[in-house]
Amino acid sequence: MDLQTLTYIVVGFTFALYIGIAFWARAGTTGEFYAAGRGIHPVANGMATAADWMSAASFISMAGLIAFNGYGASVFLMGWTGGYVLLALLLAPYLRKFGKFTVPEFIGDRYYSRTARIVAVICLILASVTYVIGQMKGIGVAFSRFLQIDYDTGLFIGMGIVFIYAVMGGMKGITYTQIAQYCVLIFAYTVPAVFISMNLTGNPVPQLGLGSTMADGSGTFMMDRLDQVVTELGFKEYSTQVMGSKLNMFVYTLSLMIGTAGLPHVIIRFFTVPKVKDARSSAGWALVFIAILYTTAPAVGSMARLNLMNTIQVGEVGAAEGNLAYADRPQWFKNWEQTGLLTYEDKNGDGRIQYYNEKNAEFAAKAEAWGWKGNEMTKVDRDIMVLANPEIANLPNWVIALVVAGGLAAALSTAAGLLLAISSSISHDLLKGVFMPDISEKNELMAGRFAMAGAIGVAGYFGLHPPDFAAGTVAIAFGLAAASIFPVLMMGIFNKKVNRAGAIWGMISGIGVTMLYVFQHKGIMFVPGTSFLGDMGPNWFFGISPNAFGAIGALVNFSVALTVSKMTAPPPDHIQHLVEDIRVPKGAGAATDH
Amino acid sequence: MNKTAEQYWKANIRLVSILLVIWFVCSFLFGIILVEPLNTIKIGGLGLGFWFAQNGSIYTFLVLIYVYAKRMNALDVEFDVHED
């Protein structure tokens, strides 16, 4: 059976499965729509959280970034897992004890202020919509490859499917579907990794293959071989290249960690476990399921890079026969050219492909002596690496079809979870909580669905010109969550003295500083050409990239909130008692029952 | 806050502080700040700093949450603030 037919069958089957489950478990009441009712087991909750969490950024984009940034991409690996430690230790059990539906609801009650709640809703929407933009990029890539069409059309089709999918179910439908999606995506991610690790190093465990010797009998370590292959073509050494500077990596990692613990669609998960005890272990289970993918990703990234380089540079560097002839390019190369995400230009007219780092002046001079006239792989979109990986490694067709299905599962599950967080914050927090307290359940649900449709439209529009690769765009979303939501949640639990004014000004200044910094380098509302300071290293504050700036925003948030709270009246007694009450598990009500 | 609740909270803060120090050490310190010196130590084909940055820190995070959940559940019982 040919690849395209097989892909249709595998993707079609998984979709039928998700829709079947969503239909079987569809939400009837508002409570079920937002929080899946009571009593989801911690292991099941952990698995669903993992699917919610591992989006197109983790599945499709991250290994590609690792492949091209080597050690520097460690920021994603540490940042997107270390945040769970913060979540488990600092937030999850207390928010569960508090026992409400949404994050702004907690902020509104703890800081006894409707204004605080509205500010939280706005911060949450900004972070979530940016996050969905990142997903849209991933969805566009996956669909364009799946249907063999260009990226823009793939994006539009993806938007349609996300809409049908997210609007139909609520949290309850999504929870069960996400468990199915987790199974599909983790299987799709690890199977090719095992094959590739086996081929290259003879070790079937990718985590161990990463540190093993090559299977070709040379006795060279895989990592040393990779370092050698990339430096021979003028690229930076894989195992030591940093992202920006070490300071940037530090701040970047911190920003992703804090952001993880501030993202509403993840926090909301811990409202739905039966007990405070379960909130603690749920975060642990989620991280177990996430770690399976995250510890595999370094092997996927490094081995994909090695295979890619070896495919194009078939012989000795500099020898006329050393480069692959364009006419002999493999099928995967042609498939990806069709999507416009991989492009080749025969600059020196020799009919062969020269792929090297033309920005390395020393190497470029050498290359010129060989008659090379510039890097001919004019575009290798980082986000295609994971999907192209099994094809590059010549794995069987069913594995390739499976990876496409996994990528779609990852993107859909996260987009659905985020859209739910957006719709609940608009319909539940803004409409029911503030503007229309006597809105009927039916109308609240309807408003939530309209909010989702709006968010998909906005995110799709920006997805046509995403500010960065999927993982980079998502990193900005984390920065926004880190700068606004996490600090006020943490202070709300650990500091009784932080008051209404402190929280409001903290959130506004934190997210304000971060957005200003992102916009000045990436364009106002990410519109290309409107950035008033270029997006490049020399213009960055201490070399900190906009994607990493959330940690600084969080610092600003903490300092402003603490200072303002010192200068204004302390919170009333009943709020201080509320804080004391959420610190102990005793007396927690049933989940989301109110 | 009554006496027990206060002590419970103190014990909680102490536990969380210790775990967060380890959290910082295995990721920021080993994986970023001290990565070059640690890379001179090799495990298989990988430098130790590189390994911590891409694999080791994640394993440590798992252990941290496990220890936290276990210790806190014990503290709940010890100070009689557990649910039910």
Side-chain angles (χ1 to χ4, degrees), chain A residues 20-35:
Chain A
I21 295 173
F23 187 76
W24 164 71
R26 69 186 183 284
T29 66
T30 34
E32 284 179 345
F33 190 77
Y34 296 134

Side-chain angles (χ1 to χ4, degrees), chain A residues 15 23 45 74 94 295 426 502 522:
Chain A
F15 270 52
F23 187 76
N45 196 47
S74 308
Y94 309 107
T295 53
I426 290 180
K522 298 244 173 211

Side-chain angles (χ1 to χ4, degrees), chain A residues 66 70-71 73-74 77-78 81-82 84-86 88-90 93-94 207 210-212 221 223-224 238-240 246 249-250 253-254 257 275-277 280-281 283-284 287-288 291 294-295 298 493-494 496 580 583-586 588, chain B residues 1-2 5 8-9 12-13 15-16 19-20 23-24 26-29 31-37 39 42-46 49-55 57-59 61-62 64-66 68-69 72-73 76 80-84:
Chain A
I66 297 173
Y71 163 72
S74 308
L77 293 162
M78 289 186 283
T81 51
Y84 273 84
V85 178
L86 299 179
L89 272 56
L90 302 177
Y94 309 107
Q207 286 84 343
L210 184 67
S212 300
F221 282 113
M223 191 52 69
D224 292 342
Y238 184 90
S239 63
T240 56
K246 273 171 77 177
M249 285 181 66
F250 187 99
T253 306
L254 188 61
M257 285 187 183
K275 289 180 168 189
V276 175
K277 229 166 103 171
R280 295 176 187 140
S281 57
L287 189 57
V288 168
Y294 272 65
T295 53
I493 296 159
F494 286 86
K496 277 190 273 187
E580 280 168 16
R583 288 178 177 183
V584 291
K586 198 172 193 164
Chain B
M1 214 189 269
N2 65 42
Y8 169 77
W9 188 246
N12 175 13
I13 297 284
L15 174 67
V16 168
L19 295 177
L20 286 183
W23 165 81
F24 181 86
C26 77
S27 51
F28 293 99
L29 194 66
I32 299 176
I33 298 171
L34 296 179
V35 69
E36 288 97 359
N39 274 346
K42 296 277 176 190
I43 45 167
L46 307 175
F50 180 89
W51 181 79
F52 260 107
Q54 303 219 330
N55 259 329
S57 53
I58 302 175
Y59 300 133
F61 297 150
L62 280 174
L64 290 177
I65 299 183
Y66 176 77
Y68 170 76
M72 280 309 285
N73 292 345
D76 287 354
D80 194 31
V81 290
H82 57 288
E83 300 153 276
D84 308 322

Side-chain angles (χ1 to χ4, degrees), chain A residues 153-413:
Chain A
T153 320
L155 179 66
F156 287 125
I157 295 174
M159 279 166 66
I161 291 183
V162 170
F163 177 76
I164 297 169
Y165 181 75
V167 168
M168 241 181 62
M171 194 70 170
K172 189 175 172 207
I174 288 177
T175 301
Y176 290 112
T177 326
Q178 279 176 338
I179 293 172
Q181 280 165 335
Y182 176 79
C183 299
V184 171
L185 82 85
I186 202 67
F187 190 64
Y189 202 84
T190 46
V191 166
V194 169
F195 271 110
I196 292 170
S197 178
M198 193 74 194
N199 283 345
L200 278 179
T201 67
N203 194 327
V205 183
Q207 286 84 343
L208 301 177
L210 184 67
S212 300
T213 51
M214 298 292 289
D216 56 10
S218 62
T220 320
F221 282 113
M222 196 281 292
M223 191 52 69
D224 292 342
R225 172 67 58 83
L226 176 57
D227 278 344
Q228 180 204 341
V229 168
V230 294
T231 47
E232 272 179 2
L233 287 164
F235 294 102
K236 287 182 193 146
E237 189 177 70
Y238 184 90
S239 63
T240 56
Q241 69 181 106
V242 293
M243 196 184 257
S245 62
K246 273 171 77 177
L247 175 69
N248 181 50
M249 285 181 66
F250 187 99
V251 180
Y252 208 139
T253 306
L254 188 61
S255 177
L256 296 183
M257 285 187 183
I258 302 177
T260 300
L263 273 172
H265 74 294
V266 177
I267 299 176
I268 215 170
R269 285 275 167 205
F270 299 98
F271 295 138
T272 61
V273 290
K275 289 180 168 189
V276 175
K277 229 166 103 171
D278 301 324
R280 295 176 187 140
S281 57
S282 257
W285 279 112
L287 189 57
V288 168
F289 294 118
I290 293 166
I292 298 174
L293 188 143
Y294 272 65
T295 53
T296 309
V300 173
S302 56
M303 291 172 189
R305 181 75 179 276
L306 186 56
N307 279 333
L308 175 72
M309 303 309 287
N310 284 340
T311 304
I312 294 170
Q313 190 69 46
V314 289
E316 202 182 320
V317 177
E321 302 289 304
N323 299 83
L324 181 73
Y326 182 65
D328 297 339
R329 70 193 185 285
Q331 184 59 39
W332 65 263
F333 199 113
K334 295 175 194 160
N335 290 346
W336 282 102
E337 278 181 312
Q338 219 163 340
T339 63
L341 298 167
L342 185 77
T343 55
Y344 163 78
E345 190 193 331
D346 194 2
K347 289 180 181 162
N348 64 352
D350 69 346
R352 290 178 177 276
I353 307 170
Q354 279 95 40
Y355 179 38
Y356 65 101
N357 185 6
E358 60 184 5
K359 294 199 182 91
N360 179 338
E362 199 186 319
F363 186 80
K366 239 197 290 179
E368 219 172 317
W370 295 324
W372 296 6
K373 298 228 166 73
N375 174 29
E376 298 181 343
M377 296 290 287
T378 40
K379 185 173 181 187
V380 186
D381 193 296
R382 272 42 168 169
D383 290 348
I384 72 174
M385 283 312 290
V386 167
L387 295 175
N389 197 20
E391 296 177 271
I392 299 173
N394 286 318
L395 296 186
N397 278 351
W398 67 268
V399 179
I400 302 168
L402 189 65
V403 172
V404 175
L408 292 173
L412 283 178
S413 62

Side-chain angles (χ1 to χ4, degrees), chain A residues 97-117:
Chain A
K97 171 72 197 291
F98 181 70
K100 288 284 173 72
F101 279 139
T102 69
V103 172
E105 212 167 1
F106 172 80
I107 293 176
D109 284 8
R110 163 61 182 84
Y111 296 106
Y112 47 100
S113 157
R114 272 187 4 183
T115 317
R117 187 168 176 177

Side-chain angles (χ1 to χ4, degrees), chain A residues 127 255-256 259 474-484 510-511 514 546-551 553-554:
Chain A
S255 177
L256 296 183
V474 167
I476 297 173
F478 277 73
L480 296 176
S484 54
I511 203 166
T514 310
N547 295 8
F549 209 70

